[in-house]
Amino acid sequence: MITKEKCIMHATNIRMNIVKMVSAASSGHPGGSLSAADILTWLYFNEMDIDKDNAGGIDRDRFVLSKGHASPLLYAVLAEKGIIEEKELSTFRKIDSKLQGHPNMNYVKGVDMSTGSLGQGLSTAVGMALANKLDENNHRIYCLIGDGESEEGQIWEATMAAAHYKLDNLCAIVDFNGLQIDGNITDVMNPTPFDKKFEAFNWNVITIDGHDFDQIEQAFAQAKQCKGKPTVIIAHTIKGKGVSYMENNAAWHGSAPNEQQCEQALKELKGE
Amino acid sequence: MGKIATREAYGNALAKLIVENENIVVLDADLTKSTKTNEAKKVCPQRHFNMGIAEGNMMSVAAGLAASNKIVYASSFAMFATGRAFEQVRNSICYPHLNVKICGTHAGITVGEDGASHQSVEDIAIMRAIPNMKVIVPCDGKETEEVIRAIAEIDGPCYVRLGRSAVEDVHHENYHFKLGKGEVLHEGSKVALIATGMMVQECLKAVEILNKEGIDPTVINMPSIKPIDEELIERVAKSHDVIITCEEHNMIGGLGSAVAEVVVKKCPVKMDMVAMKDTFGESGKPNELLHKYGLDSEAIVKKVRKNI
Ligand SMILES: Cc1ncc(C[n+]2csc(CCOP(=O)(O)OP(=O)(O)O)c2C)c(N)n1
Ligand SMILES: [Mg+2]
């Protein structure tokens, strides 16, 4: 267990690497990477039993990034954990790189599923959780889905299946940042309320502020204790969190900061 | 007109058409700025519906609108419009022969940095395989505008494949697209290049290089992949030693297969293909990817030399 102060430090490094990667590639998705940085930091440093040595196998907890466009976040987290080399991050989205625009599980140790087409990741997590039940192991499966992503019907098919098979080894997290590409989720195609939907599907539902490490800690602890049903953590977050000009701005979903914007972002993140 | 992406020409054409024809309804799936249907939304917001990130639902909704006498233009990335929603397209739209025009943008590997998950290299094959479906791949801005207008007048389902990156102008202002017709861009001899979409510009570049070596291939633009111009293919097969098809698509099931189906039936002749070699793409700049996967003018030049 690392302290919350350490978590904040790691999350800041991760956010800086996200901005640098996307800027260097002149392409990628900063907004939804920054919004989930705190949750993933906690997950990888204090919940999941993943490290450099076991990352290549499946004899451990696993994580599915269903919103695969947040790949910069996943790569930055893996670098922060020492599972991939930090210097590799500069190859992101470039030709011949292992760090594909959307994650490829065959190229990177620690990437547990290839994703990028929205709506499929939670189903793959259901498959992994079912396999863990068959194998009678205690490994947990975590899955991050976007709030816009949950407009895909398949998300709710997976939700139904997970409850039906009582997958209490599965924990989904909704990155509830309120934005998708074309604007506010409630304007484009309203998928809310999340809590009532998941409750109706017979899930254990926990709602938190996704940038508050105390609440994140409690949520994951509660998730682990819940038996007989899967847990969803509905995390209220800010898209672009930490970079003032990106915060709550749909335009930064999939655009890259230029050099100058990148410098400003890094300064802000460092607290200068 | 200058160099523009076919998706951009689509957006502009649709914005004109939606005003002229009040039966037209446009659907999109949270990609209106990328597919460019936002242009139609600007001028006619009441007949543009954002269906959210739910492509399967969108296609069946399109079917319902079409069953109520609307002409529906439904857009997403080619990958999701044809892939995610395949069976809705097949059973809700094509089986009842409904008037839905599926306009998939960001097709092929020139999507670039998003990588393989977003690079459809099988959409021509799967759309072509559905009965009742027509498949069209315009090669430049002018042809796109023509196609988008023409399909409003064609009864039944159509798939139009569009690209993300800007392409060279091949056509003049007075060009007219006709379903089922190919177009001879250059009459040469011995080798015939039959290309579709952005590969047409690569063929024209390749011919410039080959002409300097005294090789003068015929170049044919084949926008209409289904129905395909059987007459033209037969004529070319009879008058050339080899046909080489060029497409930004897998070598299985696309333009090459469509041409081969005619050739084996009407006049067997040697064929070769410039296409994705049954592999997924990856992240990278469009030009780098075209080079790496053997789809640029250089690859066409090599393929012609090899076959001569
Ligand atoms: C099936 C599918 N449809 C469309 C897309 C294109 N796309 C990528 S991200 C995105 C918006 C996602 O919004 P959300 O899930 O809220 O992500 P976040 O805000 O967390 O970045 C869309 C439509 C896709 N990747 N997959
Ligand atoms: Mg969102």
Side-chain angles (χ1 to χ4, degrees), chain B residues 60-283:
Chain B
S60 297
V61 169
L65 284 160
S68 316
N69 294 330
K70 305 297 176 198
I71 304 170
V72 187
Y73 284 72
S75 276
S76 177
F77 289 168
M79 182 70 249
F80 312 126
T82 68
R84 171 59 62 92
F86 174 77
E87 203 253 338
Q88 282 84 351
V89 170
R90 193 241 186 216
N91 274 329
S92 292
I93 296 173
C94 291
Y95 178 37
H97 197 266
L98 289 167
N99 222 352
V100 179
K101 318 302 171 186
I102 297 162
C103 298
T105 66
H106 296 64
I109 59 171
T110 48
V111 170
E113 289 85 350
D114 271 348
S117 61
H118 287 52
Q119 295 166 345
S120 66
V121 294
E122 54 288 280
D123 52 318
I124 296 177
I126 60 176
M127 289 297 102
R128 203 168 72 84
I130 310 176
N132 285 341
M133 185 61 117
K134 298 180 174 66
V135 178
I136 307 165
V137 188
C139 72
D140 68 356
K142 175 63 190 170
E143 188 164 64
T144 304
E145 188 185 327
E146 281 286 311
V147 166
I148 296 309
R149 284 191 169 278
I151 57 176
E153 308 297 325
I154 295 167
D155 186 40
C158 299
Y159 172 57
V160 182
R161 183 186 216 232
L162 302 162
R164 173 186 180 221
S165 309
V167 281
E168 306 285 346
D169 268 352
V170 172
H171 293 104
H172 293 294
E173 270 311 302
N174 51 7
Y175 167 76
H176 283 298
F177 163 81
K178 254 191 102 184
L179 185 72
K181 287 287 163 210
E183 178 196 18
V184 182
L185 292 174
H186 175 75
E187 194 84 61
S189 62
K190 293 200 175 89
V191 182
L193 296 170
I194 302 183
T196 198
M198 52 75 52
M199 292 302 282
V200 173
Q201 69 176 19
E202 297 302 318
C203 278
L204 292 172
K205 278 187 232 162
V207 166
E208 274 179 37
I209 300 167
L210 289 163
N211 277 348
K212 287 183 196 133
E213 302 171 13
I215 305 170
D216 188 29
T218 294
V219 182
I220 289 164
N221 168 34
M222 197 66 88
S224 182
I225 296 191
K226 186 185 168 188
I228 202 158
D229 193 339
E230 299 206 3
E231 242 178 69
L232 178 61
I233 294 171
E234 187 179 357
R235 179 163 77 73
V236 166
K238 282 183 175 146
S239 54
H240 292 74
D241 301 334
V242 56
I243 292 175
I244 301 174
T245 54
C246 307
E247 63 194 306
E248 188 197 7
H249 185 275
N250 200 4
M251 62 197 308
I252 295 172
L255 172 71
S257 301
V259 171
E261 285 157 19
V262 179
V263 164
V264 293
K265 202 166 58 183
K266 298 270 171 92
C267 175
V269 64
K270 190 178 162 199
M271 274 188 72
D272 207 340
M273 292 175 192
V274 173
M276 289 293 282
K277 296 169 190 72
D278 201 19
T279 158
F280 290 106
E282 65 177 86
S283 294

Side-chain angles (χ1 to χ4, degrees), chain A residues 32 35 67 146-149 175-180 185 239 253:
Chain A
S35 62
K67 40 171 268 187
D147 48 5
E149 181 187 11
D175 186 3
F176 193 176
N177 57 30
L179 293 174
Q180 56 190 108
I185 56 166
K239 198 154 174 167
H253 169 84

Side-chain angles (χ1 to χ4, degrees), chain A residues 47-153:
Chain A
E47 292 299 327
M48 289 170 60
D49 57 355
I50 183 171
D51 56 38
K52 195 173 190 293
D53 299 324
N54 68 10
I58 62 165
D59 199 12
R60 57 171 171 82
D61 297 337
R62 280 184 282 173
F63 170 74
V64 177
L65 182 66
S66 193
K67 40 171 268 187
H69 58 280
S71 55
L73 168 61
L74 181 55
Y75 300 148
V77 167
L78 293 176
E80 194 70 14
K81 285 284 289 184
I83 295 169
I84 64 175
E85 280 187 63
E86 192 168 7
K87 67 169 197 279
E88 221 177 314
L89 297 181
S90 63
T91 68
F92 174 57
R93 283 187 167 243
K94 294 184 180 145
I95 196 154
D96 296 326
S97 172
K98 290 183 196 152
L99 307 186
Q100 290 293 298
H102 296 79
N104 182 318
M105 65 186 287
N106 297 319
Y107 294 173
V108 187
K109 272 190 203 171
V111 169
D112 294 330
M113 179 48 67
S114 298
T115 52
S117 177
L118 295 171
Q120 305 188 22
L122 186 59
S123 301
T124 65
V126 166
M128 293 175 186
L130 265 178
N132 284 353
K133 290 275 181 197
L134 281 174
D135 293 344
E136 294 176 358
N137 66 43
N138 290 319
H139 303 314
R140 292 182 62 76
I141 305 296
Y142 296 92
C143 177
L144 182 71
I145 62 183
D147 48 5
E149 181 187 11
S150 68
E151 291 157 8
E152 288 284 1

Side-chain angles (χ1 to χ4, degrees), chain B residues 191 242 244 270-272 302-308:
Chain B
V191 182
V242 56
I244 301 174
K270 190 178 162 199
M271 274 188 72
D272 207 340
K302 279 190 195 146
K303 192 69 102 183
V304 170
R305 283 189 197 132
K306 196 189 113 195
N307 277 285
I308 223 147

